Amino acid sequence: MMCITEYFNLNRTLLLTIGLWPYQQSKLDRLRFIFFLGILTTAILFQFTTFFNSKCTADFVVKILSSALFFSTFVIKYIFFAINAKSIKDLLTQLQYVYDQLKDECENAIVEKYNSNAKHYMIVLTAFGICGISVLIIAQLWPNIIAVISPMNVSQVRRLPIMTEYFIDQEKYFSFILLHLNAAFCIGMTVVVATGTMLIAYLEHICGLFKISSYRIECAMRVILFQNIQPKNDTLMLKEIRYAVDIHRQAMKLSKTMVSKFEAMLFCLIAIGVISLSLNLFQIFQIISNRDNNISEILFPSVLVFISILYMFFANYIPQNVTDHNDHVFVTVYNVQWYIAPLYVQKLMLFMLQRNVREFTLGVGGLFVGSLECFATLVKASVSYFTVIYSTQ
């Protein structure tokens, strides 16, 4: 069995980039964290400073909040993950302890399979992040590219992707302001992908533990089917079931512990995410309905909407996957021929079946339960809020 950090090599690379890898916290990492946090924080601050020099109409407030709240999710994830760096290290240590108790190659193969799944998730989400950043940067540079290809006598007005107020000549320092905003977006997307894929990878390994529990139950029952029921085999079967129950219990404990450590962060992200999605949907419809606006302005809120929906989906799909794997353990118990086992083994199996009466879910504050149903509810709520805002115009 490999060291647990070897399973998180790709995650380690991204987290090191933003100074959040829990096993290496040097002074350089802390300086990098402060520097990146400063860029993210000032990007939000200079969006809110527009209220000082502009009339606060409803449309103006919506336009500022739609982007500022989205950027706020970057800061929330960055700060909360930094605060819980030690907790992440402890969770990985506990997972390593469980893996050290694995007994055969089949169980190791299960771990490798789910580790591969985690890497696939990371590659896909990283690709989405790179595409999102690339689209926005190309869109900003496109007018310059067109100007080089087909020069025009009329000078084009340069516009920032979002409204900001730096209290300087924005036309003169346009390139520096644009660089600051793009740097903040790139850092923020790196934070979202790095922290999100780390949590996804951990929960995928938890799914692997549930799968190992199912495998051990099947192995225990195989003793009955392929061997004579003797006291020695009874003891072996009982031992296997005890191992299955123990790893199932540890899987539930580790997943619940992880969610509890990030419960405040998840609650803030849900609330801000729903509001931000609603406001950006409103922004898109405002731009479409107003012919005076440049249609290119629709790109930035569209990217934010896509990222928000994608994040909500994975934030609910992975906990749903954990719940499904837990349910599969009890499906396995139902399907094996436990009724031909000795009486004391039957009692143990019935105890496991009774445990399934209480559904195992990963929730936030008792209000949100990670599931595809919750994803649909959040999207529906966002669309409902958008409809209310749009109907008041």
Side-chain angles (χ1 to χ4, degrees), residues 143-162:
N144 296 331
I145 297 174
I146 295 298
V148 172
I149 296 175
S150 55
M152 300 176 64
N153 294 329
V154 180
S155 61
Q156 296 183 349
V157 179
R158 297 187 294 180
R159 295 183 178 180
L160 294 169
I162 55 179

Side-chain angles (χ1 to χ4, degrees), residues 26 28 37 59 61-63 87 108 144 172 260 297 304:
S26 63
L28 180 61
L37 183 61
D59 290 344
V61 172
V62 168
K63 192 169 187 178
S87 298
N108 290 332
N144 296 331
K172 182 178 180 180
S260 67
E297 294 179 7
L304 300 191

Side-chain angles (χ1 to χ4, degrees), residues 30-78:
R30 296 188 185 95
L31 288 174
R32 189 186 300 120
F33 171 79
I34 295 172
F35 178 68
F36 287 165
L37 183 61
I39 292 177
L40 292 174
T41 305
T42 51
I44 299 170
L45 179 64
F46 289 131
Q47 292 180 60
F48 283 113
T49 51
T50 54
F51 289 115
F52 292 117
N53 296 334
S54 303
K55 185 178 179 180
C56 294
T57 62
D59 290 344
F60 180 79
V61 172
V62 168
K63 192 169 187 178
I64 297 300
L65 290 181
S66 60
S67 58
L69 289 178
F70 185 85
F71 274 75
S72 297
T73 61
F74 298 156
V75 175
I76 290 172
K77 293 209 72 172
Y78 205 17

Side-chain angles (χ1 to χ4, degrees), residues 91-224:
L91 287 168
L92 291 175
T93 302
Q94 294 177 49
L95 187 62
Q96 177 71 68
Y97 174 76
V98 176
Y99 281 169
D100 288 340
Q101 301 177 50
L102 300 185
K103 302 183 299 176
D104 57 42
E105 290 302 318
C106 289
E107 294 181 356
N108 290 332
I110 292 173
V111 173
E112 293 293 340
K113 175 187 174 182
Y114 282 87
N115 182 60
S116 178
N117 292 343
K119 289 181 178 179
H120 290 156
Y121 281 123
M122 182 171 183
I123 292 171
V124 170
L125 291 177
T126 303
F128 275 121
I130 293 173
C131 289
I133 293 171
S134 301
V135 167
L136 288 180
I137 292 177
I138 291 173
Q140 294 165 22
L141 298 177
W142 188 250
N144 296 331
I145 297 174
I146 295 298
V148 172
I149 296 175
S150 55
M152 300 176 64
N153 294 329
V154 180
S155 61
Q156 296 183 349
V157 179
R158 297 187 294 180
R159 295 183 178 180
L160 294 169
I162 55 179
M163 293 186 66
T164 58
E165 178 55 69
Y166 284 75
F167 301 106
I168 57 176
D169 187 346
Q170 295 206 10
E171 185 64 28
K172 182 178 180 180
Y173 297 100
F174 178 85
S175 299
F176 293 101
I177 295 174
L178 188 62
L179 176 63
H180 176 238
L181 293 177
N182 284 331
F185 188 76
C186 291
I187 293 169
M189 287 301 299
T190 305
V191 169
V192 169
V193 173
T195 57
T197 52
M198 182 66 189
L199 300 181
I200 288 174
Y202 192 84
L203 289 177
E204 271 298 301
H205 281 271
I206 296 297
C207 291
L209 296 184
F210 283 122
K211 190 68 175 180
I212 292 172
S213 179
S214 300
Y215 166 75
R216 287 181 176 180
I217 291 172
E218 292 173 346
C219 288
M221 294 298 106
R222 206 173 292 134
V223 174
I224 299 176

